[in-house]
Amino acid sequence: MLVRSRAPRALHAGLGSTFHAEALPDALPRLQNNPRVAPYGLHTELLSGNAFTAPRAHNQYSWMYRIRPSVQHTPRRFEPLRHRSWATPPFEVQTPAPLRLAPVEVCEGDWLDSVTTLAGNSGATAGVYAFRRGMGRRVFCHQDAELMLVPQQGALRLRTEFGPLSVGVGEVCLLPRGVRFAVDAEEAGAPHRGYVLENFGANFRVPELGPIGVSSGLAQPRHFLAPEPAFEDAEARHEVVCKFGGQLFRGEIFFSPFDVVAWYGSLVPLKYDMSLFMSINTVSFDHPDPSINTVVTSPSAEPGVANIDFVIFAPRWMAAENTFRPPWFHRNYMSEYMGLVRGVYDAKPGAGFSPGCSTIHNRFTPHGPDAGATRAGQAGQDAPERYADTLAFMWESNQLWVPTAAAMELADATYADCWENIPKTFDPKDPRTPPHPWRR
């Protein structure tokens, strides 16, 4: 039975903040961790997300007060679990060409059964899920990577050690390494689709804002929400599946692992509503770099270079004058994996890039707006333009997104055709020196 909170919590939101939560009154110790006087006879357990000596500003941990310690929630015997589509790098390089990938077929199993890896490197993997039924008494724990889930169709109902968390379309969820959880469907039998990232690098954090300033702009830490405190005190068989050392293993336990009654700390599952993102854009001229749309970042050892940036293209106004408003044609140092949650992406108004699809544009691979977006951008307009029904995202990596064999099976061989009809507008007799936008 799920027992929900009957007591107030001190904090509910804030990426990097310290949270406090209790599902029973005074279950959270107010002074010290002392098992002799632990409230309700709960066991004390520490979950650390970094080396103990990592810098304080980025060191994440949580203290949990639970009915049974997790040593009793660990199967005594594990056996390998074969998975049809969840793969672990390294992958063999297939092609430097840009790729557009169709959505995967819906799996008749649960979320865990459906995960399909489409690309990866030593820092992360990117993929999708598509399932119909919940996990029930099946529990998953990723001991190698932090997970990011981006629903595209159908809300997810997550059960975690820290309590339940509902993640809808338009939201994104972060699940720390080592946390046990189960994914349920909002509507059993209906298709639930989305994107999934394994982050093998540093934990995600909000980016530094520099000249933007910390009072507002981009994603605010207070908008990252933690689970509602709740616990299960159930003696029932559960299947535990873990990913460890790149391999999947399964075993059985005979208690619910979701028995944490109180907790505090900064290493907790979180969700973020992307409609709260404050987009920063030009109100003069030129197209800004997509880094201004970074929600969270996983830094690498090289300052200023991310292992993974999670970038979104949300509803916003475009107001640049004398400017080609779509993204430039570009060849970047960073490699891009892109997904579309809803609507139309402004640089790809053609029908080929629809919600649920993916694209991969690797390092220095040429890409940019399709022919339709190019013609519209060259026609130009100075009136502000609202991009309303759209939500796209990008996982930018400092390494190649190496596609898997499953990705190559989904690849659209006609993708490059979207640039075939870009008009040639060169005229050596027409210099067309544009007026300065502020000197009319």
Side-chain angles (χ1 to χ4, degrees):
M1 180 180 68
L2 180 67
V3 180
R4 293 185 179 273
S5 170
R6 297 195 298 271
R9 292 163 302 143
L11 281 176
H12 179 60
L15 180 61
S17 301
T18 299
F19 297 78
H20 301 72
E22 52 189 10
L24 293 176
D26 301 319
L28 189 67
R30 295 319 194 245
L31 297 175
Q32 65 187 83
N33 292 320
N34 188 338
R36 294 179 60 191
V37 293
Y40 301 99
L42 297 170
H43 291 276
T44 303
E45 185 170 295
L46 172 66
L47 180 68
S48 55
N50 310 81
F52 298 124
T53 53
R56 181 190 293 264
H58 303 300
N59 202 325
Q60 294 178 289
Y61 68 94
S62 283
W63 286 99
M64 298 184 286
Y65 304 91
R66 59 193 314 156
I67 297 171
R68 298 176 182 85
S70 60
V71 292
Q72 293 185 338
H73 299 308
T74 301
R76 296 197 175 192
R77 297 183 184 86
F78 281 101
E79 60 185 32
L81 175 66
R82 294 178 62 87
H83 198 286
R84 65 183 184 90
S85 53
W86 196 342
T88 299
F91 306 135
E92 184 177 351
V93 175
Q94 303 282 338
T95 177
L99 297 175
R100 182 172 63 202
L101 312 179
V104 299
E105 294 291 331
V106 176
C107 170
E108 296 304 319
D110 59 23
W111 174 86
L112 179 57
D113 295 323
S114 76
V115 173
T116 301
T117 308
L118 297 179
N121 52 54
S122 63
T125 70
V128 292
Y129 64 81
F131 68 96
R132 293 187 185 276
R133 63 179 177 85
M135 290 175 60
R137 291 179 179 169
R138 200 180 195 195
V139 179
F140 180 68
C141 177
H142 206 312
Q143 295 177 225
D144 296 337
E146 178 183 24
L147 289 175
M148 176 183 287
L149 305 182
V150 185
Q152 184 269 313
Q153 179 184 6
L156 303 180
R157 310 297 184 192
L158 272 65
R159 288 169 287 139
T160 80
E161 293 181 84
F162 293 83
L165 192 64
S166 177
V167 186
V169 176
E171 296 181 318
V172 57
C173 175
L174 295 174
L175 292 160
R177 294 168 177 83
V179 171
R180 296 172 183 186
F181 67 92
V183 180
D184 296 324
E186 179 184 52
E187 183 180 349
H192 291 66
R193 295 179 175 274
Y195 301 88
V196 57
L197 177 96
E198 296 175 283
N199 173 24
F200 302 120
N203 294 340
F204 278 114
R205 64 189 70 165
V206 290
E208 302 295 339
L209 295 180
I212 294 174
V214 298
S215 61
S216 59
L218 309 189
Q220 290 297 300
R222 69 188 181 94
H223 292 148
F224 289 80
L225 305 182
E228 297 288 337
F231 67 91
E232 293 178 354
D233 183 9
E235 296 187 11
R237 175 187 171 277
H238 288 70
E239 179 189 25
V240 174
V241 178
C242 67
K243 195 169 187 190
F244 176 73
Q247 304 295 321
L248 287 165
F249 298 88
R250 65 165 304 278
E252 292 184 356
I253 61 173
F254 299 94
F255 308 101
S256 169
F258 306 129
D259 68 349
V260 176
V261 179
W263 49 268
Y264 78 86
S266 56
L267 188 71
V268 299
L270 296 170
K271 73 170 184 175
Y272 175 74
D273 183 346
M274 289 181 278
S275 70
L276 300 176
F277 186 80
M278 179 181 168
S279 296
I280 302 293
N281 214 333
T282 180
V283 291
S284 54
F285 54 87
D286 281 354
H287 185 95
D289 292 328
S291 51
I292 61 168
N293 296 312
T294 301
V295 180
V296 288
T297 182
S298 165
S300 73
E302 183 178 351
V305 178
N307 168 50
I308 295 290
D309 279 333
F310 176 61
V311 177
I312 67 172
F313 304 95
R316 62 202 183 278
W317 283 94
M318 298 290 282
E321 297 180 294
N322 291 319
T323 292
F324 181 76
R325 286 183 178 176
W328 308 111
F329 296 104
H330 48 289
R331 293 175 290 167
N332 293 343
Y333 172 82
M334 300 287 278
S335 297
E336 302 173 358
Y337 178 102
M338 193 167 189
L340 185 61
V341 176
R342 65 169 177 263
V344 176
Y345 176 54
D346 56 290
K348 296 286 194 301
F353 187 50
S354 56
C357 289
S358 307
T359 59
I360 298 174
H361 301 122
N362 268 316
R363 178 181 298 170
F364 301 120
T365 295
H367 58 289
D370 64 17
T374 300
R375 283 191 291 267
Q378 288 177 327
Q381 62 171 323
D382 284 346
E385 183 180 7
R386 172 71 173 164
Y387 291 171
D389 184 22
T390 183
L391 181 58
F393 74 90
M394 191 160 63
W395 286 317
E396 279 202 329
S397 173
N398 65 342
Q399 302 181 61
L400 299 182
W401 283 118
V402 182
T404 63
M408 298 307 294
E409 292 178 1
L410 298 169
D412 182 355
T414 68
Y415 179 32
D417 293 351
C418 74
W419 297 296
E420 189 70 24
N421 295 320
I422 292 176
K424 179 181 178 181
T425 54
F426 174 69
D427 185 349
K429 298 179 180 178
D430 183 5
R432 293 191 193 179
T433 303
H436 193 288
W438 295 344
R439 298 174 187 168
R440 293 185 172 176

